[in-house]
Amino acid sequence: MTTPDITFDLKPSSRPLADAEREAALADPGFGRHFTDHMVTIRWTEGRGWHDAQLEPYAPLQLDPANMTLHYGQAIFEGLKAFRQDDGSVALFRPDANARRFQRSARRLAMPELPEQTFVEACDLLVKQDLAWVPGVGEQSLYLRPFMFATEVGLGVRPANEYLFIVIASPAGPYFPGGVKPVSVWLSEEYVRAAAGGTGEAKCAGNYAASLVAQAEAARHGCEQVVWLDAVEHRWVEEMGGMNLYFVRGTGADATIVTPELTGTLLPGITRDSLLSVAADLGYGTAEVRLSTDDWKAGNADGSISEVFACGTAAAITPVGSVKSARAQWTIGDGQPGEITMRLREALLAIQTGRAADPHGWLHRVV
Ligand SMILES: *Cc1c(COP(=O)(O)O)cnc(C)c1O
């Protein structure tokens, strides 16, 4: 059903965190450890649609033990960042793309779709209210976490008839405080993240729950991250943890940047999509391909694959330094961050922080 324009009820906190405490949190924010003073909430009920939109103090929720999400897992989320710009203003990076992906995730989980404009407005409102929480320097940002889950109480298995949409925000420090460091990856041949027809394309909580045991397996093999392969043949490279992957073919100005194609089992990352444009703008070739673990190993050995990196909102770009599987092990290049990887990383961050032009209109000014 369509919902008429949603207006937000503003109920700001009468007790925001003291300046000194906020400054202390911002001095070493880490990731997802501190939360701002407010949150935005919107309710949905069958027959009524979206209603009760509020900006309110950040606070715990009360849940009935028979809350349907706790049992059947209708829970989706997004992640996007607000960056303080060089001119002092604050901008969100491609919030419209997150809004549309959130709608697609909702459809897959049989949940109601929040209008794109309402999603963006909710993010704007929270950032404006908690502007003092947007860090000021370098790669730091305010990470926004919009999410939605079922609030109906009951144990019958069916789509719930009540949902709650919330946006919370958390200051994020530089992902690599000690300088960019490549990660080691484990090729998971035992566990899979997603199969055709499943929820791989949706940003849903369950995908992460299913990934944790593989991440632990990677750690047991001395690797920091898990690389997901396709569910049928266990040989086509899909993603790394919660990030998409890129491979640099060739070197220098003739390099082509390739990424696994979106087959329906990969999460369509907004960073992945942005980098296809950023790389082309820098004059590199780009392609979406199918790449097997054998191709990767052979390409690494003969030098045709010179660099590998992962990308996502949290880290922007993370170089991959070494690969391990049950049968093989190899180092990418000299194990250090590649030149093109770092060039793309810098180019993306420069757009996000307003140090470079924004030719694709990706920045959404909040103030
Ligand atoms: C969120 C996510 C990504 C990255 O998406 P971005 O929009 O670039 O942050 C990649 N893979 C998975 C599994 C994800 O959940």
Side-chain angles (χ1 to χ4, degrees), residues 20 23 25 31 42 72 81 146 162 172 198 203 222 227 229 242-243 248 327 333 364:
E23 293 305 329
F31 181 78
I42 314 178
Y72 308 126
K81 284 177 165 178
E162 292 178 21
K203 214 164 170 71
V227 164
L229 307 176
M243 303 174 81
V248 179
R327 277 163 283 109
H364 170 85

Side-chain angles (χ1 to χ4, degrees), residues 164-348:
L164 181 58
F165 168 77
I166 307 184
V167 191
I168 54 175
S170 173
Y175 194 83
F176 296 104
V180 175
K181 193 178 145 291
V183 293
S184 52
V185 300
W186 170 253
L187 302 182
S188 176
E189 288 160 322
E190 182 175 352
Y191 299 107
V192 295
R193 193 188 83 90
T199 58
E201 268 183 336
K203 214 164 170 71
C204 63
N207 287 346
Y208 276 75
S211 77
L212 301 175
V213 67
Q215 180 61 41
E217 186 196 40
R220 266 201 310 284
H221 288 92
C223 297
E224 292 155 285
Q225 287 287 338
V226 57
V227 164
W228 302 109
L229 307 176
D230 75 287
V232 178
E233 298 179 72
H234 297 250
R235 56 189 282 248
W236 303 103
V237 177
E238 298 205 329
E239 298 192 58
M240 182 193 91
M243 303 174 81
N244 295 109
L245 279 169
Y246 268 93
F247 299 80
V248 179
R249 281 191 178 145
T251 53
D254 295 331
T256 294
I257 279 77
V258 307
T259 188
E261 65 182 357
L262 301 176
T263 57
T265 55
L266 283 75
L267 196 288
I270 293 162
T271 317
R272 172 192 181 279
D273 180 71
S274 305
L275 285 171
L276 286 171
S277 299
V278 170
D281 293 347
L282 292 177
Y284 298 117
T286 63
E288 297 173 85
V289 300
R290 282 189 98 192
L291 189 112
S292 71
T293 51
D294 287 341
D295 295 338
W296 186 356
K297 184 161 173 266
N300 189 72
D302 68 20
S304 57
I305 294 177
S306 56
E307 304 177 26
V308 181
F309 62 87
C311 64
T313 296
I317 286 180
T318 301
V320 177
S322 61
V323 187
K324 205 173 181 183
S325 74
R327 277 163 283 109
Q329 188 166 347
W330 63 91
T331 301
I332 295 160
D334 58 3
Q336 293 308 305
E339 188 187 315
I340 293 171
T341 298
M342 293 306 283
R343 192 163 172 227
L344 289 167
R345 188 171 199 281
E346 173 50 33
L348 178 64

Side-chain angles (χ1 to χ4, degrees), residues 21-31 33-34 140 171-174 177:
E21 286 174 68
R22 188 186 62 247
E23 293 305 329
L26 287 175
D28 179 24
F31 181 78
R33 288 195 285 117
H34 304 279
Q140 305 196 76

